[in-house]
Amino acid sequence: MTNPRTIHIHRDKWHLAWDHSIEPVASIESGETVSLDMTDSSCGQIGPDSTVDAIKNLDFGRVDQVNGPVYVAGAEPGDTLEVEFLDLQPANWGWSAIIPGFGLLADEFSEPALKIWRLEGGAEGWAEFAPGIRIPVEPFCGEIGLAPGAPGALSTIPPYRHGGNMDTKHITKGARLFLPVEAPGALFSMGDGHAAQGDGEVCGTAIEAPMQATVRLTVRKDLKINEPQFVTAGPLARRTNTAPYYVTDGIAPDLLEATRKAIRHMIEHLQKNYGLSRADAYMLCSVAVDLKLCEVVDLPNFLVGAFLPQSIFTA
């Protein structure tokens, strides 16, 4: 019995919309694997030697590109495509930024900022934020999706029922993602590599990094779903869930405002206790702090917690 083949998608095979009229760059049989060589989410506009000018001049018409699409034989509307993540390898660098007009607290952070990260040790390595603060690398891809069934182009910026920009940090190596098929052949695409991210990605960027990914794509005729579902590879955030968390709560009658308050309180905590600038604290929240819905039933107020892993502090 021969092993299923693997096809390779080069980094120049990308597109900027979810649209079933885009011609596939490759075709595979169900159960075969695809390797993708992906640029960072800026589509190469930011590099390891970039300065904040790259943020000032960022062309948003080129961000959040995805590699593909890949036609999967036998996939028909109403089926489910199972995506098994076999390998995710980030480059040795990445970036985080504050982009004016973007992020949870966009009205409070109007000045651009850029941090270039050096990633050590590959997929099991670390990235140093500042002396005494190390972020464990846990790579995943923010953009994973299929073409919509309805005609017309959809932006890659939001998530949809067929996938898209889900930015879910738990879809790591070993995870299995299930996506509802809306177009013949499914037309699978993926991109937006992240070396690490906090749940919520509050400033709008994670550790954005070029990524090499290998996935197995299998058509599931036995599974009917309406929106994405997934199985994690194991315990959540296994590399950061190794010590206590410090949590700041946000309480408000509006869920979004409760979330904003939780992050504001965490920024203040990081400034006061770790000597970070407000901008650096905001970016650290985006790559390390997990947002959790702690209380949603005792109205009129919601309670959102911002969870800071204490294991990232080495000094």
Side-chain angles (χ1 to χ4, degrees):
M1 181 177 178
T2 59
N3 292 325
R5 65 174 180 149
T6 297
I7 65 161
H8 179 72
I9 306 299
H10 193 269
R11 65 174 52 204
D12 65 359
K13 302 298 184 182
W14 53 265
H15 56 99
L16 282 163
W18 301 105
D19 187 341
H20 66 236
S21 70
I22 297 174
E23 288 294 319
V25 301
S27 297
I28 66 169
E29 297 296 320
S30 176
E32 293 185 327
T33 59
V34 179
S35 69
L36 304 99
D37 184 12
M38 300 172 288
T39 62
D40 69 287
S41 61
S42 76
C43 201
Q45 297 181 76
I46 298 173
D49 299 317
S50 291
T51 68
V52 73
D53 287 339
I55 302 301
K56 295 176 181 178
N57 300 319
L58 190 66
D59 179 1
F60 252 80
R62 291 173 55 198
V63 304
D64 276 348
Q65 79 289 348
V66 289
N67 287 55
V70 176
Y71 183 97
V72 185
E76 297 293 340
D79 295 340
T80 294
L81 188 71
E82 178 179 332
V83 184
E84 183 181 358
F85 295 84
L86 304 179
D87 196 27
L88 292 161
Q89 293 291 334
N92 63 2
W93 70 278
W95 62 271
S96 301
I98 296 175
I99 302 172
F102 197 54
L104 181 68
L105 301 180
D107 56 326
E108 299 177 25
F109 289 85
S110 58
E111 293 299 317
L114 175 66
K115 178 173 181 58
I116 301 296
W117 300 79
R118 306 300 173 185
L119 309 182
E120 303 287 346
E124 294 290 322
W126 300 86
E128 186 174 75
F129 182 82
I133 305 176
R134 293 198 310 173
I135 306 298
V137 170
E138 285 197 295
F140 70 100
C141 284
E143 292 268 8
I144 315 161
L146 310 180
L154 297 176
S155 167
T156 56
I157 300 297
Y160 304 95
R161 63 177 180 269
H162 47 84
N165 196 13
M166 297 186 289
D167 281 334
T168 302
K169 64 180 281 186
H170 305 299
I171 305 179
T172 56
K173 179 180 177 179
R176 292 179 294 136
L177 172 67
F178 307 100
L179 297 171
V181 176
E182 295 188 4
L187 300 175
F188 170 85
S189 300
M190 191 165 88
D192 190 23
H194 294 165
Q197 180 199 290
D199 274 332
E201 196 189 32
V202 295
C203 83
T205 61
I207 301 181
E208 311 288 331
M211 188 80 69
Q212 291 183 334
T214 304
V215 296
R216 180 182 291 118
L217 304 180
T218 304
V219 178
R220 296 284 302 271
K221 301 285 185 181
D222 61 322
L223 181 61
K224 307 296 181 184
I225 59 175
N226 295 318
E227 293 186 334
Q229 301 178 13
F230 66 95
V231 179
T232 69
L236 298 183
R238 62 183 178 84
R239 300 196 66 221
T240 51
N241 188 22
T242 61
Y245 286 78
Y246 188 89
V247 182
T248 54
D249 286 338
I251 301 171
D254 176 81
L255 186 58
L256 179 58
E257 183 54 29
T259 305
R260 285 162 57 91
K261 287 176 70 175
I263 290 298
R264 288 192 197 105
H265 297 330
M266 182 57 73
I267 289 170
E268 292 172 2
H269 170 73
L270 290 167
Q271 287 181 275
K272 187 180 301 181
N273 293 283
Y274 296 98
L276 297 180
S277 69
R278 193 162 186 262
D280 278 350
Y282 187 34
M283 284 191 283
L284 183 59
C285 285
S286 203
V287 301
V289 170
D290 293 328
L291 290 169
K292 298 182 184 295
L293 299 177
C294 297
E295 212 289 306
V296 297
V297 296
D298 293 326
L299 299 180
N301 288 332
F302 298 94
L303 191 151
V304 176
F307 284 64
L308 174 70
Q310 297 298 281
S311 56
I312 69 173
F313 299 105
T314 62

